[in-house]
Amino acid sequence: DNVTKSQLQRKQKELGDRAEMCEAQIKLLIARFINGTSSEGDGNLAQRLSSSARKKLSKMTDLGAIRDAAAKMELANFYFRILQDDDLTITRDVFQMWLTDKDFVDVLDDAEVDISNKAELFDILDVDMGGELSVDEVVTGLMKLRGDVSKNDIVAIMLQVRHLTDQLQDYIEMATPSYALQAEDKKKSKKAATQH
């Protein structure tokens, strides 16, 4: 039991240590994909960018030759900001096409993102359920999908659900005056019951 626990902790530490480089690789690959798009089948993403963004992305060279981690991360963030500034979105078809690309699959495999169910991955990443993914949704979502589920993940979800439930409760109380009175009566009843 202790061996399994220490192996899991070591694996989680390794994931954390490699997080920045994995994120840089994902960002660079997305920028490269978008920079190289030109046909109807790929959503013609490059054409949806401003001319300024296309010009900046056209200066991308073979980034695989860059071995310095800091330089690679700096370039990844530079190119990714270009995509963010243009509010580029990725359709389901384009994302599914990326999932057939060997380089993309290799990067996700290195990042330990489970892509065994490729059909659902787009929906998992589409947190706002808008039908398209912002480049932020792609990167943030893929980074969150790295590795195995941990106790931290479960507790974080529980806390977020509790927070959302409290916010919804507050909204309902503000929006519905009769509900607020009922909630106040329940609180008074509980308080009176605990005092006896």
Side-chain angles (χ1 to χ4, degrees):
D1 198 33
N2 285 338
V3 172
T4 305
K5 184 177 179 180
S6 70
Q7 287 175 337
L8 182 61
Q9 288 173 337
R10 189 172 333 127
K11 187 175 180 180
Q12 292 292 72
K13 183 181 179 338
E14 288 172 9
L15 280 174
D17 292 345
R18 294 189 351 245
E20 284 185 337
M21 188 50 71
C22 287
E23 184 174 337
Q25 289 175 311
I26 292 169
K27 287 177 176 179
L28 286 171
L29 194 55
I30 290 171
R32 192 189 88 206
F33 281 162
I34 292 168
N35 186 39
T37 62
S38 59
S39 67
E40 287 302 315
D42 58 23
N44 213 1
L45 293 173
Q47 298 306 313
R48 292 175 28 202
L49 291 171
S50 67
S51 59
S52 169
R54 282 195 308 269
K55 186 175 182 178
K56 290 175 186 173
L57 283 176
S58 70
K59 296 184 186 333
M60 284 184 78
T61 58
D62 180 20
L63 299 169
I66 299 173
R67 296 289 175 227
D68 180 51
K72 197 171 223 174
M73 285 187 272
E74 188 175 323
L75 275 174
N77 289 328
F78 171 76
Y79 288 122
F80 194 70
R81 272 192 302 280
I82 294 168
L83 302 176
Q84 287 174 310
D85 291 345
D86 264 33
D87 293 324
L88 187 68
T89 57
I90 312 303
T91 64
R92 178 183 301 275
D93 291 340
V94 169
F95 187 76
Q96 293 301 331
M97 190 172 55
W98 289 358
L99 288 173
T100 64
D101 183 272
K102 184 187 178 331
D103 291 339
F104 194 61
V105 171
D106 288 346
V107 166
L108 296 181
D109 191 42
D110 289 345
E112 296 189 35
V113 174
D114 179 15
I115 58 169
S116 58
N117 193 351
K118 294 178 182 181
E120 290 185 10
L121 191 54
F122 182 90
D123 293 325
I124 292 167
L125 298 176
D126 190 13
V127 294
D128 65 359
M129 295 181 275
E132 291 189 335
L133 300 174
S134 69
V135 289
D136 285 319
E137 283 178 311
V138 173
V139 173
T140 303
L142 290 174
M143 291 303 293
K144 296 248 184 233
L145 288 172
R146 296 176 62 235
D148 296 327
V149 175
S150 71
K151 182 178 179 179
N152 293 345
D153 297 325
I154 295 167
V155 170
I157 290 168
M158 288 172 46
L159 293 173
Q160 289 170 346
V161 168
R162 183 180 301 151
H163 176 72
L164 288 172
T165 303
D166 290 344
Q167 284 185 318
L168 184 59
Q169 184 76 30
D170 291 345
Y171 174 77
I172 289 171
E173 287 176 7
M174 288 187 325
T176 314
S178 64
Y179 184 84
L181 292 174
Q182 290 173 356
E184 188 63 34
D185 289 343
K186 284 183 183 179
K187 286 180 186 177
K188 287 179 184 177
S189 296
K190 283 183 183 179
K191 188 175 182 179
T194 57
Q195 289 176 351
H196 294 316

